Amino acid sequence: MANTLNIVQAVNQALMNEMENDPSVVVYGEDVGVEGGVFRATVGLQEKFGVQRAFDAPLAESAIVGTAIGMAINGLKPVVELQFMGFSYPAFNQIISHVARMRNRSRGRYTLPMVIRAPYGGGIRALEHHSESTEALYAHIPGLKVVIPSTPYDAKGLLIAAIRDPDPVLFLEPKRIYRAFKQEIPEEAYVLPIGKAKVVEEGEDVTIITWGAMVRDVQKASEMVKSKGINPEIIDLRTISPMDRDSFIESVKKTGRAIVVHEAPKSFGAGAEIVSIINEKAFLYLEAPPTRVTGFDTIFPLPRGEKHYIPTPERIAKTIEDVVKF
């Protein structure tokens, strides 16, 4: 059977599937239990599985992640929710000092099969710390996987894969598209491989590498330039770490041009790493310098400014035209 779901509903169904299939899976976090999450991604879990497996935690991110470490070492599979990515900073010490290092520290004796979920990115006119896109910060930490879905189908398959993974996964959910569209997905559990990108559109003129909410904006930009005879190839990375380098290297070798699109600030972002990889592995195939369309090197602006900060289809389309004409 299949259901037509948005991303929030797909996340909820993934949690339902895994809690039904595996009694060691527990879900908790800020407003996760009684209210079903600030975006209602965990609605119905407490009613179905009880307060011992789906419950509210104190507003203390360090404690939420810290207790999950102990649970994971002792045989549970905690899936914890931090209400927004910008609220993850109080837990940063736990994440970088313990979550990411436990397998190495114990020489493989202990692993941490745990997932840290967080809505991330802008676009909902929220306040400070509610619109962060700092995926590069966490992707820089060895031992931590960073996954960002862009569709309901991917959200469910990647979240189930993350829950079943023996190592810790930071699962970032682009809240701007939580309810933007629906997709038919299987009702039963399925898995998408972590670390494998997806070719969203095939083309021959320029490779566009992106992820999360930006995928839809890149697709809109692609439609704008197709009327001018430009056919982009769009790659959705899905996973920032580990990164599927082969996917975009082979594409760039075909197209000779590359653009990276992400919402995060430009400097030291994942886009810089991707451009570096392209220069190292596909330099002789390039017809133009690889470029980036990103947010700006500023704190994410409060509600009135976000429309000037987040890359728009128009800005992406203009860059595509400039790169192809180079």
Side-chain angles (χ1 to χ4, degrees), residues 192-206:
L192 295 178
I194 292 175
K196 182 65 177 175
K198 174 178 64 176
V199 178
V200 178
E201 290 183 16
E202 294 188 359
E204 62 279 344
D205 295 321
V206 57

Side-chain angles (χ1 to χ4, degrees), residues 175-196:
K175 57 183 176 291
R176 178 156 62 97
I177 57 170
Y178 258 157
R179 294 178 171 83
F181 63 102
K182 291 187 175 184
Q183 192 176 32
E184 190 172 277
I185 63 176
E187 185 175 339
E188 64 274 9
Y190 61 91
V191 169
L192 295 178
I194 292 175
K196 182 65 177 175

Side-chain angles (χ1 to χ4, degrees), residues 32 36 56 63 162 190 213 233 249 274:
V32 163
D56 294 316
Y190 61 91
E233 180 148 295
I249 290 299
I274 294 168

Side-chain angles (χ1 to χ4, degrees), residues 267-284:
S267 295
F268 312 103
E273 174 65 16
I274 294 168
V275 168
S276 178
I277 293 169
I278 291 170
N279 283 332
E280 290 173 359
K281 302 295 184 181
F283 181 78
L284 296 179

Side-chain angles (χ1 to χ4, degrees), residues 227-241:
S227 63
K228 301 180 180 181
I230 301 172
N231 292 303
E233 180 148 295
I234 303 172
I235 295 177
D236 177 2
L237 274 187
R238 287 174 163 169
T239 305
I240 305 303
S241 179

